[in-house]
């Protein structure tokens, strides 16, 4: 019997070459394609798969699961890597890997494969997730072993082997897209002296073309989860789609990051994530009204660690699951509406309404209705300052 492998397949040049390469090595190739919110045509994928002699292809729309089980958790944690990356690509990988494992079990395959490059984070994320979920599965990463090291050599290989690939024309940047954002790298941006290429952006209008008037959007949260936008009830996926459009118009959510990859390399990536930034900022604003200061400051530490774990592909680790449990408890009273102002790339809060505010106007006010007892302050400071007095 032929050895069977389940390949994470996008229909692009890399994975199309992977199919053929695996077939030449004697494998029966079953493919799996997930829609997490990029351009995606199931018909096209199925057609290509057929032309490539793939025995079976699973095409799945996982956008809702991605939003609910991955993005929402990261949002409640306010997870951002190295201050600038909302983790769009990183959050998608464990989900893809989880399905690779599921399908391998369904297909009784001993192998899974992917088209990740041998120097990136994605191979770490997918392999680590597979190893956590089923250490017995064998992983094949053709790009780590074959001799095709450039796009040109892959195109030549595809031609020679008559592999059906559509876009063979020069691709300037490597782009990864899902509903939580877009990652763009390569080309002239590998030179740190160059500003990002305006033409590379997909979701956001250039700052010069943003409206002269600010845009406003109100997001309602229930226990930390966005449930309404401008007073209309919507699913998270829809809210994200709407915010990507509105935010994109105002050039919200761009970042240019020199980042630290798990494999030790520093690299540069340009990100666009309008919805992610609006939601994270709005969520933080609501938390600032509702949570006490210790929970807030501890949650910042958790956010940092959470982002590192997600970035490294440790999504299914015990620590990450434990942090989820902590974060979930903190969200009990994170219910309310935040109106955000979007203007020329900046996001700010225009109004904050919380169901359980710890902000009390009668304590904060400098006006007539002040209820704070100033006389108590003197004794409090006397004792508060004790540990610090050296004279
Ligand atoms: N640097 C990002 C990460 O590690 C994105 C990786 C994929 N980027 C790309 N342009 N294909 O999560």
């Amino acid at each position: 019997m032929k050895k069977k492998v389940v390949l994470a397949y996008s229909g692009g040049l890399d994975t199309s070459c992977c199919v053929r390469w695996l077939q030449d090595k004697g494998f029966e190739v079953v493919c799996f394609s997930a829609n997490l919110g990029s351009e995606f045509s199931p018909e096209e994928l199925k057609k290509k798969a057929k032309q490539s002699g793939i025995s079976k292809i699973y095409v799945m729309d996982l956008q809702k699961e991605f939003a609910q089980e991955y993005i929402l958790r990261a949002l409640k944690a306010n997870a951002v890597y190295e201050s600038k990356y909302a983790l769009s690509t990183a959050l998608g990988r464990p989900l893809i890997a989880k399905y690779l494992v599921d399908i391998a079990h369904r297909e009784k395959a001993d192998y899974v494969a992917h088209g990740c490059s041998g120097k990136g984070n994605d191979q770490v994320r997918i392999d680590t997730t597979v190893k956590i979920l089923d250490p017995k599965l064998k992983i094949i990463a053709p790009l780590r072993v074959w001799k095709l090291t450039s796009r040109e050599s892959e195109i030549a290989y595809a031609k020679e082997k008559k592999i059906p690939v559509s876009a063979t024309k020069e691709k300037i940047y490597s782009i990864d897209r899902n509903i939580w954002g877009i990652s763009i790298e390569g080309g002239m941006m590998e030179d740190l002296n160059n500003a990002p290429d305006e033409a590379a952006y997909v979701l956001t209008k250039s700052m010069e073309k943003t409206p002269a008037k600010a845009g406003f959007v109100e997001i309602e949260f229930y226990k930390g989860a966005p449930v309404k936008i401008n007073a209309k009830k919507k699913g998270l996926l829809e809210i994200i789609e709407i915010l990507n459009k509105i935010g994109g118009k105002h050039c919200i959510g761009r970042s240019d990051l020199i980042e630290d990859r798990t494999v030790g390399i520093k690299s540069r990536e340009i990100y666009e994530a309008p919805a992610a930034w609006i939601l994270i900022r709005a969520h933080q604003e609501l938390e600032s009204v509702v949570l006490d200061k210790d929970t807030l400051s501890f949650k910042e530490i958790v956010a940092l660690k959470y982002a590192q774990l997600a970035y490294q592909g440790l999504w299914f680790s015990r620590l990450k699951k434990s942090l989820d449990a902590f974060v979930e408890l903190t969200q009990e009273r994170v219910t309310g509406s935040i109106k955000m102002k979007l203007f020329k790339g900046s996001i700010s809060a225009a109004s904050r309404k919380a169901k359980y505010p710890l902000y009390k106007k009668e304590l904060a006010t400098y006006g007539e209705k002040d209820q704070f007892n100033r006389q108590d302050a003197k004794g409090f400071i006397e004792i508060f300052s004790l540990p610090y007095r050296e004279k």
Side-chain angles (χ1 to χ4, degrees):
M1 220 173 66
K2 259 190 168 179
K3 294 175 291 183
K4 212 191 238 186
V5 61
V6 182
L7 168 72
Y9 175 75
S10 70
L13 180 62
D14 287 337
T15 50
S16 298
C17 291
C18 285
V19 169
R20 184 53 192 267
W21 188 85
L22 289 163
Q23 288 165 337
D24 284 352
K25 297 271 178 232
F27 282 98
E28 176 189 345
V29 182
V30 172
C31 284
F32 156 58
S33 301
N35 180 11
L36 302 186
S38 53
E39 285 100 58
F40 194 83
S41 153
E43 296 72 37
E44 185 101 344
L45 279 166
K46 284 179 191 159
K47 204 173 99 195
K48 262 198 193 153
K50 210 168 177 188
Q51 288 169 347
S52 318
I54 291 166
S55 67
K56 195 168 178 187
I57 181 165
Y58 289 78
V59 180
M60 295 174 159
D61 188 341
L62 302 180
Q63 292 181 94
K64 282 216 170 103
E65 183 174 351
F66 184 41
Q68 214 52 41
E69 297 297 325
Y70 295 74
I71 290 173
L72 182 56
R73 289 177 194 277
L75 170 62
K76 286 176 178 174
N78 301 319
V80 172
Y81 185 69
E82 297 192 329
S83 310
K84 291 184 182 170
Y85 175 30
L87 295 160
S88 52
T89 302
L91 292 173
R93 301 309 177 188
L95 174 61
I96 291 171
K98 181 176 88 115
Y99 273 87
L100 264 184
V101 172
D102 281 358
I103 295 170
H105 290 166
R106 255 193 259 181
E107 289 290 325
K108 299 196 176 13
D110 293 330
Y111 297 82
V112 293
H114 58 71
C116 300
S117 96
K119 51 192 295 192
N121 293 314
D122 289 331
Q123 54 169 350
V124 181
R125 295 168 184 149
I126 292 187
D127 289 18
T128 301
T129 303
V130 169
K131 284 174 190 296
I132 291 176
L133 297 179
D134 182 356
K136 285 202 200 68
L137 277 174
K138 294 185 240 323
I139 304 165
I140 309 174
L143 274 75
R144 286 201 288 248
V145 288
W146 69 22
K147 291 184 182 62
L148 312 172
T149 49
S150 67
R151 205 175 155 76
E152 292 71 37
S153 56
E154 282 184 20
I155 292 171
Y157 177 83
K159 268 209 184 116
E160 181 203 322
K161 302 269 181 178
K162 301 201 171 48
I163 298 167
V165 284
S166 28
T168 44
K169 65 173 191 306
E170 192 57 44
K171 224 177 73 178
I172 315 174
Y173 303 111
S174 158
I175 295 180
D176 182 74
R177 175 174 190 171
N178 65 42
I179 48 169
W180 202 229
I182 301 191
S183 313
I184 309 159
E185 72 177 339
M188 57 84 109
M189 290 185 292
E190 286 180 356
D191 183 339
L192 302 192
N193 288 308
N194 293 329
D197 177 4
E198 192 55 51
Y201 290 109
V202 183
L203 286 176
T204 52
K205 257 203 193 148
S206 79
M207 194 74 88
E208 285 77 7
K209 292 195 183 123
T210 52
K213 270 177 76 180
F216 292 87
V217 62
E218 185 161 19
I219 298 146
E220 189 173 322
F221 292 87
Y222 176 74
K223 295 190 175 182
V227 288
K228 285 188 190 171
I229 180 162
N230 295 330
K232 280 195 207 84
K233 216 173 149 103
K234 303 252 187 240
L236 179 55
L237 182 59
E238 231 182 318
I239 292 179
I240 293 169
E241 283 165 354
I242 295 168
L243 288 176
N244 272 334
K245 284 212 187 85
I246 306 177
K249 257 198 260 170
H250 294 276
C251 194
I252 302 291
R254 285 185 179 186
S255 55
D256 174 0
L257 170 63
I258 312 302
E259 78 189 40
D260 289 277
R261 286 192 193 166
T262 305
V263 293
I265 302 170
K266 273 196 190 287
S267 64
R268 182 193 197 183
E269 191 110 29
I270 309 299
Y271 295 106
E272 293 181 281
W277 281 103
I278 297 169
L279 287 172
I280 292 170
R281 287 291 310 280
H283 181 252
Q284 286 172 327
E285 289 291 346
L286 181 56
E287 285 189 330
S288 73
V289 179
V290 169
L291 297 181
D292 64 88
K293 67 175 180 181
D294 278 337
T295 306
L296 273 176
S297 66
F298 194 71
K299 218 170 158 286
E300 274 192 68
I301 298 171
V302 168
L304 193 68
K305 190 67 202 172
Y306 197 99
Q308 288 165 353
L309 292 171
Y311 186 86
Q312 295 176 345
L314 294 170
W315 187 259
F316 291 102
S317 64
R318 179 143 324 262
L319 177 56
K320 145 71 180 53
K321 285 192 241 171
S322 308
L323 295 183
D324 273 329
F326 164 77
V327 169
E328 197 55 40
L329 254 186
T330 64
Q331 301 299 291
E332 236 165 22
R333 288 154 78 91
V334 184
T335 295
S337 290
I338 304 290
K339 191 193 267 179
M340 302 301 275
K341 178 179 175 182
L342 313 175
F343 185 61
K344 299 224 170 272
S346 78
I347 318 171
S348 52
S351 99
R352 304 167 177 91
K353 295 188 191 84
K355 192 161 179 209
Y356 309 101
L358 291 183
Y359 175 90
K360 307 269 190 261
K361 194 168 169 219
E362 62 276 18
L363 291 180
T365 185
Y366 284 100
E368 288 286 310
K369 300 222 167 76
D370 188 6
Q371 288 181 13
F372 184 80
N373 188 341
R374 291 156 206 240
Q375 275 104 58
D376 285 351
K378 191 166 183 289
F380 165 73
I381 296 163
E382 210 43 60
I383 293 167
F384 176 77
S385 62
L386 265 183
Y388 311 106
R389 291 191 230 161
E390 291 180 350
K391 283 191 194 98

